[in-house]
Amino acid sequence: MNRKKDKGFESPRPFKLTHQVVCINNINFQRKSVIGFVELTIFPTVVNLNRIKLNSKQCRIYRVRVNELEAPFIYNDPTLEVCHHESKQRNLNYFSSAYTAAVSAVDPDAGHGELVIKVPSELWKQGDDLKVLKVYIEFSLDQPKGGLHFVVPDVEGSMAERGAHVFSFGYQNSTRFWFPCVDSYSELCTWKLEFTVDASMVAVSCGDLVETIYTHDMRKKTFHYVLPIPTAAPNISLAVGPFEILVDPYMHEVTHFCLPQLLPLLKHSMSYLHEIFEFYEEILTCRYPYACFKTVFVDEAYVQVSSYASMSIFSTNLLHSAMIIDQTPLTRRCLAQALAQQFFGCFISRMSWADEWVLKGISGYIYGLYLKKTFGVNEYRHWIKEELDKIVEYELKMGGVLLHPTFSGGKEKDNPTPHLHFSIKHPHTLSWEYYKMFQCKAHLVMRLIENRISMEFMLQVFNKLLSLASTASSQKYQSHMWSQMLLSTHAFLKSISNVSGKDIGPLIKQWVDQSAVVKFFGSFAFNRKRNVLELEIRQDYTSSGTQKYVGPIKVTVQELDGSFNHTLQIEENSLKHDIPCHSKSRRNKKKKIPLMNGEEVDMDLSAMDADSPLLWIRIDPDMSILRKVEFEQADFMWQYQLRYERDVVAQEESISALEKFPTAASRLALTDILEQEQCFYKVRMQACFCLAKIANAMVSTWQGPPAMKSLFTRMFCCKSCPNIVKTNHFLSFQSYFLQKTMPVAMALLRDVQNLCPKDVLNFILDLIKYNDNRKNKFSDNYYRAELIEALTNSLTPAISITNEVRTVDNLNADVRLILEEITRFLNMEKLLPSFRNTITVSCLSAIRQLQKNGHIPSDASLFKSYAKYGHFVDVRVAALEALVDYTRVERSSVDLQWLLEMAQNDPAHYVRHKILGMLCKNPPFTKTTDPAPPFTKTTDSALCNEALVDQLWKLMNSGTSHDWRLRCDAVNLYYALFGLTRPSCLPLPELGLVLNLKEKKAVLNPTIKPELGVGPVMDTPASIGIHGVDPISLGVCGVGQPPLSLKRKAETPLGSPPEPGQILQQQEDDARGGRFKIRLKRRIGFNTMEDEDIDMETVHDSQAFIHHHLNLLERPSTPGKEPPSVEQSMLSMPATPVPSFPKETTPLSSKHGGEHGHHHHHHHHEHKKKKKKHKHKHKHKHKHESKDKEKDRERDNSQAYSNSPASGRSLRSPSLSD
Amino acid sequence: MADPAVVSGGALNAGGRGSGGKAATSPAENYHLARRRTLQVVVSALLTECGFDSAEKAAVETLTEMMQSYITEIGRCAKAYCEHTARSIPTLSDAVVTLIEMGFKADTLPLYAKRSQRMVITAPPVTNPPVTPKALSAGQKRTHPAHIPCHFPEFPDPHTYIKTPTFREPVSDYQVVREKAASQRRDVERALTRFMAKTGETESLFKDDITAFPLIAAQPSTIPYLSALLPSELELQTLEETDSSEQDDQTDGENAVGNMISDDPGADKENAMLPLSAVVPAAKASEDNVIDNPYLRPVKKPKVRRKK
């Protein structure tokens, strides 16, 4: 393991930041702009500190001064556009590596940054005495797309009356979006924050509010904050708005802020916070580290909860009134999460990205303890199971999640997660879903550690970490103690071993240093003679996302005489385990059967096997392995387990297992559980759905009324008139949840014709009809929403008459009733909106289902109107979900465009993220994973075309540079649609050779075969025309080093230390010369490069390949669409030499100087053109257009420097001329 | 006086009744007319006795009037004496006392009655005193209960004291009530939404028949979270009602806290209206004066020397 063994923290920077002032003088809501300055106090740690690298994105920087001296600076952000001018390179491998390189190039954890400041020579000459430097930067932000979010409702009135507000947001370290800083979690400093805002507004930020002072004109006021605890820049935040202020009645140092008119909700929602405070402080035996805490509730929040030093920003949609049941636990959970992160994440920060799992793990773990205390052990265990199932499902589907990645030497080759289409080297390249799973796994691993060393030790470790940190936080910078506030994996593990004296090395190795989960298959046989249980546990460790487990595993066997735990050793080759049984199989009927928890119960043992004393068996009942267990036992054993095992996890497992046993006994067991009020309500809810499935499987033999109907009637209907439901009171939340769930499950019942039984539908309609909430002190909006969902579930596909337009007249009578209800509900919602518009949300999905099942005409316009900005976010998401589904089913390119348009331009970041996320989950078409008959048809969807590829490429390449999360979403979508390689819908570039580096084969592009008469496949080594070049160095297929663009080259003259993939400066000349030679030699080879996108591994049949190409050429050219694209790709090689060079010759050419390279390209370029003309005479008619295009390209090239807004700005800025 | 003479009362009565109301003479009126007629005859006879040959009609009328008054007064007085002595039917002595009281020499009366020249008037045909017709005969008239002497006035007609409900008895059957409430609410909702849909923009699920299932068009709002999060007036009302009715059900402390805090929406609203909200609920501030929260401190005036 390459885990850092050294104790202290080594800064990657040649200086240490000690204090930073952020002053924002003006926030203009009308123009959405911000003006301010920052001042960083830094101590150089080297002599001759001549350059300072800081992080800054999208800020316009006016001037930089170092100790009052104007300093020149360069501002270069390679992530703005990941692949420059790269026209035809469309494979995701290539993009991912380029993106990772771009992020690495400015990674603050590696000491890099977008903003490079040259320390005036006057200062560094005398730098050996390690003098303090003060770096002063004036900046502004104009309509920021990331980092700060302005919410300005378009109504009459002043900004305060309109409820306009602004807040900072971001995924991981994103503070650089709104002020220049060292945007690293490991660079701590103290802070002074000043915000001048309109007198009607409040500015909430980190630290203690020292004073608020009016400006001279009394129109504005300045909020002065001081944060004396060393804090990393990513933990700094700001929220400004006309907030209503609520001082917590229990803790006066805690202040809550919400938007106007929501104060009553705020009061109710926050009335509980102090208990969470008390809980954490008690278990951690440590006071809350900051002097104050602020909660701010904002609209259009990026995520529901985000924690910063001494404040948290929440979505305003978490607020609720006392009438709402369902939201209450959710909001409390969010509060608890936020508060847990205050301790671990904000106060204690991570040392590097690889240590992120520790902080996420600890905060998630103590959050879990809170859940256990507040919501009970059942809820906690249920939650653990849920989380475990989630991570297992994800890893088995997508491949492993690695908690502690190590990057030895920073070489791309050592990618620890080759199965992923993104790099996990940086938080900013991670897919959001992966990150969520990462967090989930982190807290589960913490729980595993707890299992190993006991909770007491665990809490002691946390306490130790916190006390170390709080001691350090009160020290001055000079004491070099601040790094104690950074937590690394190593320090954490060391602390564990110190406190507990236990070695958790194997556990860490298994779950933290390795990805993937364990998959067990278990089965057993009972040997009557020996009275032994022969248990067989097999593992699948070959499929993706699985690993081999070796070590102890707990097995619990419930026998007639009691419950017994056995610890087995899973070893390399032993599959079978013999477990001696304690009880004789002969039953003693008088005796009660003792359970695990000491309880003794009577059981009806008639169902069980007379020869065996086994009631049920559980493998790893404590979930102390991250695993999936598929265990085989008889149905009666599952039934006993469901009825008598008291652990909710066991009950839930048995319910899922019983789905496979549709028998009367299963039915009875489930019904009994449903009725049993002591049983955990979530188990009962799950039992509903299982019962529905069983009933459907037993449809021909089912006796009596539809499943659950009589049960529901007994529980919730009036005694005198069983068809009428009682008026709502919802006093018992358990029954409330059950009442909500049962109709939904019942609606899934189907009769022999596979239709929802008539009396079930009528029953649900009656529930809606007789629903009466007048006497209830709780709102019934969630209940009604569930009833609509029940109606939706009852829908079955319409009897389709081919291609008939759906009209009102041929509407099915039942569907008419359903539609009637939905219409009424949806309309009533306009007059009396429900909390979070839950009813509208349900109605929209119901309408989509009606459309999908062919009952009403499929139409997207309704959803579009609900998806527009200005509706409540839940409604928008529901409408968008329907639209995404519509797009897939109807293959509508117009609507796909509409969605992508919104994903690019919508004001709400969350919605944009959601759109891409939903498109990934439900993609309009999927990548052709199985290219069995290759090239017969590229893809069966008309949506998959070149324009879409270009659009998505542009979206992830440059369109989403302001939001890491969104960019990763776009990458995910691209992956879902096209896979890793070049999309098959793109025309093949018709150029000379096709080079397959893996197979060391070169294939002459068969399209030119008719002209040249060359055989299609040449089994020659790759050396044709590329003598002397190592094939790998060609960097084809994105295997090699990512290119470093011209933009990034600009920083190399400043003498930055070489970063991975960069070449030392002194090599530059050699490289240039060398490359020149290579290039001349490689004329043919060059052609091959353009073709690399065709994944040759899929080209098994060369004849088919040729055939396809011929087809491509012979295809009737649809004017304006097909031919230009073909032609464009053919000519792309000569037209875009600049980007193509770095791609091919990456390691060598990455440093070529701008001018030289240019010249050279042109030369080369000309040459090629001649050759090309010669080759493709038949393409002459396209030449004109292409020439124009070329000119454009050339113009672009000449402007390469000024192209990117950021770099252009800095180039033009006066300071550079200094 | 005790022998009221009626000349043609019977006939008149019959006529009046027969005509069915056109002649506005009720039977009682007829009776009075007949009596007056008899009186006129008496007056005329007395005049003849006294030696008049003829008399003007007006004079006869006046005299009749006087006589009637006189007799009435005697009757009234006699009745008063009778009742004074706690009796209900006047006796002879009552009449005598009355006459004396009125200044009439009672002992002269027998002589006067026995005078020679007196005219004999034929007695008017005896007619039954008219029965006051029963205006409304609603139900059986109640008889006196045993403890009330029978001389007390009879019960009035039942219609004067028996209430007859004008609406039907409400059906108390639970099922029907629920059914009714449900369908009523549904009808109201449907009518309302249809109305809203008719008067505003709509969207439709069907292309062929736009009116089939009209959906009120979705209108984006400028601040969508307000309507989505804040409880509607209706819900607030319900909450207040149920809160007051179920206050005693509140046993668990956590809920009680929640309710306490959400209990004064009025006060909160006021705060909510203030554009600048550096206001802490007054109640809280007063209950604990030592809250020192930086956000509640007054904003300082700028120092003059600091900036230009």
Side-chain angles (χ1 to χ4, degrees), chain A residues 561-576:
Chain A
D561 285 359
S563 188
F564 302 97
N565 288 329
H566 306 272
T567 305
L568 308 177
Q569 279 298 324
I570 301 277
E571 280 155 30
E572 286 288 333
N573 299 315
S574 75
L575 297 173
K576 303 236 177 195

Side-chain angles (χ1 to χ4, degrees), chain A residues 136-205:
Chain A
Y136 170 89
I137 303 170
E138 275 179 24
F139 70 97
S140 78
L141 279 171
D142 202 17
Q143 310 218 326
K145 285 170 159 178
L148 282 183
H149 183 59
F150 283 88
V151 181
V152 185
D154 188 18
V155 272
E156 293 291 302
S158 73
M159 282 300 165
E161 284 157 11
R162 287 154 73 169
H165 56 288
V166 62
F167 57 92
S168 63
F169 71 94
Y171 164 49
Q172 287 281 330
N173 41 341
S174 297
T175 304
R176 64 183 96 170
F177 280 95
W178 61 288
F179 66 80
C181 58
V182 179
D183 198 9
S184 161
Y185 280 100
S186 58
E187 191 71 34
L188 307 178
C189 68
T190 54
W191 295 82
K192 169 86 179 73
L193 307 151
E194 292 175 35
F195 305 101
T196 305
V197 298
D198 204 79
S200 56
M201 300 265 187
V202 186
V204 187
S205 186

Side-chain angles (χ1 to χ4, degrees), chain A residues 948-1112:
Chain A
L948 180 70
V949 176
D950 286 341
Q951 189 182 10
L952 278 177
W953 184 269
K954 209 178 138 208
L955 184 66
M956 62 185 191
N957 192 30
S958 55
T960 46
S961 60
H962 50 272
D963 185 350
W964 307 115
R965 181 174 75 175
L966 198 63
R967 174 171 263 164
C968 297
D969 291 336
V971 170
N972 275 352
L973 179 59
Y974 196 88
Y975 176 70
L977 296 182
F978 308 116
L980 281 175
T981 50
R982 186 180 166 90
S984 51
C985 60
L986 292 187
L988 294 162
E990 3 251 288
L991 295 163
L993 279 174
V994 180
L995 191 69
N996 187 338
L997 287 172
K998 276 199 182 147
E999 292 172 20
K1000 295 254 166 76
K1001 270 186 194 173
V1003 181
L1004 198 64
N1005 192 333
T1007 34
I1008 48 177
K1009 183 197 162 201
E1011 283 95 351
L1012 297 179
V1014 182
V1017 179
M1018 295 194 296
D1019 251 345
T1020 49
S1023 55
I1024 291 186
I1026 46 169
H1027 303 287
V1029 183
D1030 174 31
I1032 297 303
S1033 71
L1034 294 171
V1036 197
C1037 296
V1039 186
Q1041 285 300 332
L1044 286 157
S1045 63
L1046 277 174
K1047 299 275 161 54
R1048 234 169 305 134
K1049 263 160 246 150
E1051 73 184 30
T1052 48
L1054 296 170
S1056 65
E1059 56 186 68
Q1062 272 187 328
I1063 302 280
L1064 292 177
Q1065 240 168 323
Q1066 55 266 35
Q1067 288 178 2
E1068 199 180 12
D1069 286 345
D1070 304 340
R1072 207 181 289 153
R1075 198 205 61 250
F1076 191 70
K1077 254 196 278 170
I1078 291 160
R1079 198 155 296 286
L1080 289 178
K1081 271 186 191 170
R1082 275 197 328 160
R1083 284 217 295 274
I1084 305 170
F1086 185 74
N1087 288 347
T1088 70
M1089 294 311 107
E1090 287 300 316
D1091 271 5
E1092 45 69 32
D1093 302 312
I1094 306 161
D1095 186 0
M1096 287 307 292
E1097 278 170 304
T1098 65
V1099 186
H1100 298 305
D1101 184 350
S1102 57
Q1103 288 304 319
F1105 184 69
I1106 293 160
H1107 182 66
H1108 170 69
H1109 271 250
L1110 291 176
N1111 279 351
L1112 204 79

Side-chain angles (χ1 to χ4, degrees), chain A residues 153-155 162 209-216 218 225 243-245 247 250 252 255 257 259 261-262 264-265 267 271 294 299 316 323 332 718 721 724-725 727 768-771 774-777 779 807-808 811 819-821 823-824 826-828 830-832 834-836 847 856-857 859 862 865-866 869-872, chain B residues 174-175 178-179 181-182 185-186 189-190 192-194 196 203 205-209 212-232 234-235 238-239 242 246 250 254 257-258 261-262 268 271-272 276-281 284 288 291 293-297 299-303 307:
Chain A
D154 188 18
V155 272
R162 287 154 73 169
L209 177 63
V210 180
E211 54 184 0
T212 317
I213 305 177
Y214 276 115
T215 54
H216 285 272
M218 301 292 279
Y225 284 91
F243 297 121
E244 309 212 11
I245 300 174
V247 177
Y250 301 93
H252 296 160
T255 321
F257 300 87
L259 292 164
Q261 299 183 46
L262 299 179
L265 304 187
K267 275 185 187 172
S271 61
K294 289 140 285 187
D299 189 25
T316 195
M323 269 182 285
R332 289 181 183 178
C718 307
C721 33
I724 296 181
V725 67
T727 56
I768 293 175
K769 182 178 169 189
Y770 292 117
N771 179 43
R774 282 173 301 179
K775 294 271 182 289
N776 196 353
K777 66 174 180 167
S779 168
T807 58
V808 182
L811 201 60
L819 200 51
E820 198 80 51
E821 293 298 335
T823 314
R824 192 169 51 84
L826 197 53
N827 284 339
M828 272 312 285
K830 302 284 186 311
L831 308 172
L832 284 175
S834 62
F835 179 71
R836 293 194 77 155
I847 290 174
I856 61 174
D859 180 24
L862 178 76
S865 71
Y866 278 97
Y869 182 69
H871 288 287
F872 187 67
Chain B
Y174 186 72
Q175 183 168 355
R178 287 292 300 275
E179 168 79 45
R185 199 194 53 209
R186 170 179 302 218
E189 285 185 4
R190 189 175 299 156
L192 184 61
T193 51
R194 290 246 162 185
M196 296 300 289
E203 283 158 311
L205 297 170
F206 289 92
K207 292 279 167 279
D208 57 328
D209 186 357
F213 292 96
L215 296 174
I216 303 174
Q219 297 294 345
S221 85
T222 44
I223 307 183
Y225 60 84
L226 283 185
S227 70
L229 297 180
L230 286 173
S232 65
L234 191 74
E235 283 178 306
T238 323
L239 186 68
T242 49
E246 288 176 21
Q250 294 284 334
E254 180 195 295
V257 170
I261 284 187
S262 62
D268 294 342
N271 286 335
L276 207 199
S277 47
V279 184
V280 125
K284 224 156 273 160
D288 198 346
I291 293 184
N293 186 295
Y295 294 95
L296 303 181
R297 285 179 208 145
V299 181
K300 289 182 188 165
K301 296 272 156 56
K303 285 172 197 161
K307 284 168 194 166

Side-chain angles (χ1 to χ4, degrees), chain A residues 12-78:
Chain A
R13 267 166 289 280
F15 59 84
K16 180 73 189 80
L17 180 64
T18 62
H19 183 69
Q20 180 162 358
V21 178
V22 178
C23 175
I24 288 182
N25 303 319
N26 191 9
I27 298 179
N28 188 331
F29 280 94
Q30 202 75 51
R31 293 185 46 224
K32 301 188 177 171
S33 66
V34 162
I35 300 174
F37 68 85
V38 295
E39 191 188 72
L40 296 90
T41 307
I42 60 173
F43 277 92
T45 51
V46 295
V47 289
N48 292 345
L49 175 72
N50 50 10
R51 288 181 215 299
I52 298 168
K53 289 190 180 180
L54 298 177
N55 295 106
S56 173
K57 265 173 92 74
Q58 81 178 353
C59 301
R60 187 192 294 259
I61 293 184
Y62 293 105
R63 70 187 322 190
V64 175
R65 292 200 291 183
V66 180
N67 284 7
E68 307 295 316
L69 292 167
E70 295 289 338
F73 64 95
I74 287 178
Y75 186 13
N76 168 38
D77 183 359

Side-chain angles (χ1 to χ4, degrees), chain B:
Chain B
M1 285 142 286
D3 48 353
V6 174
V7 181
S8 61
L12 267 171
N13 263 352
R17 223 173 266 169
S19 68
K22 196 234 156 191
T25 47
S26 67
E29 216 168 323
N30 286 341
Y31 179 77
H32 288 298
L33 282 175
R35 199 172 53 191
R36 195 168 176 88
R37 202 71 171 268
T38 313
L39 272 180
Q40 270 177 346
V41 172
V42 169
V43 168
S44 305
L46 285 176
L47 285 175
T48 315
E49 221 173 279
C50 293
F52 289 98
D53 290 331
S54 63
E56 277 179 31
K57 192 168 169 74
V60 176
E61 277 296 323
T62 309
L63 288 169
T64 312
E65 195 64 31
M66 287 169 67
M67 174 170 270
Q68 181 168 317
S69 300
Y70 193 79
I71 294 170
T72 308
E73 182 58 22
I74 291 169
R76 193 196 61 76
C77 244
K79 176 87 172 159
Y81 279 116
C82 145
E83 285 179 354
H84 185 67
T85 50
R87 284 173 286 114
S88 57
I89 299 166
T91 54
L92 178 65
S93 53
D94 289 332
V96 172
V97 173
T98 303
L99 287 174
I100 292 166
E101 175 69 22
M102 289 176 73
F104 185 80
K105 291 190 174 83
D107 47 345
T108 61
L109 197 59
L111 289 177
Y112 181 72
K114 288 175 186 158
R115 68 188 185 277
S116 56
Q117 68 273 41
R118 87 184 159 109
M119 292 178 70
V120 177
I121 304 160
T122 53
V126 182
T127 56
N128 291 330
V131 259
T132 40
K134 284 174 183 168
L136 257 171
S137 53
Q140 284 291 9
K141 216 174 200 179
R142 277 176 69 178
T143 49
H144 281 162
H147 60 277
I148 293 180
C150 55
H151 60 270
F152 273 89
E154 289 196 338
F155 273 106
D157 265 358
H159 77 269
T160 55
Y161 59 89
I162 289 175
K163 67 170 178 198
T164 30
T166 53
F167 54 94
R168 239 186 299 158
E169 188 83 4
V171 194
S172 53
D173 182 16
Y174 186 72
Q175 183 168 355
V176 181
V177 171
R178 287 292 300 275
E179 168 79 45
K180 266 201 157 163
S183 40
Q184 198 176 352
R185 199 194 53 209
R186 170 179 302 218
D187 291 346
V188 168
E189 285 185 4
R190 189 175 299 156
L192 184 61
T193 51
R194 290 246 162 185
F195 171 73
M196 296 300 289
K198 283 230 167 84
T199 49
E201 261 185 75
T202 53
E203 283 158 311
S204 174
L205 297 170
F206 289 92
K207 292 279 167 279
D208 57 328
D209 186 357
I210 313 175
T211 54
F213 292 96
L215 296 174
I216 303 174
Q219 297 294 345
S221 85
T222 44
I223 307 183
Y225 60 84
L226 283 185
S227 70
L229 297 180
L230 286 173
S232 65
E233 296 279 317
L234 191 74
E235 283 178 306
L236 274 179
Q237 211 179 319
T238 323
L239 186 68
E240 270 162 30
E241 279 168 19
T242 49
D243 260 9
S244 53
S245 65
E246 288 176 21
Q247 205 70 26
D248 18 275
D249 294 347
Q250 294 284 334
T251 44
D252 84 305
E254 180 195 295
N255 268 350
V257 170
N259 281 323
M260 213 173 64
I261 284 187
S262 62
D263 252 352
D264 51 355
D268 294 342
K269 278 235 176 81
E270 269 165 43
N271 286 335
M273 290 309 143
L274 294 175
L276 207 199
S277 47
V279 184
V280 125
K284 224 156 273 160
S286 64
E287 109 198 355
D288 198 346
N289 285 317
V290 291
I291 293 184
D292 181 30
N293 186 295
Y295 294 95
L296 303 181
R297 285 179 208 145
V299 181
K300 289 182 188 165
K301 296 272 156 56
K303 285 172 197 161
V304 189
R305 55 177 173 80
R306 237 191 208 170
K307 284 168 194 166
K308 58 254 148 222

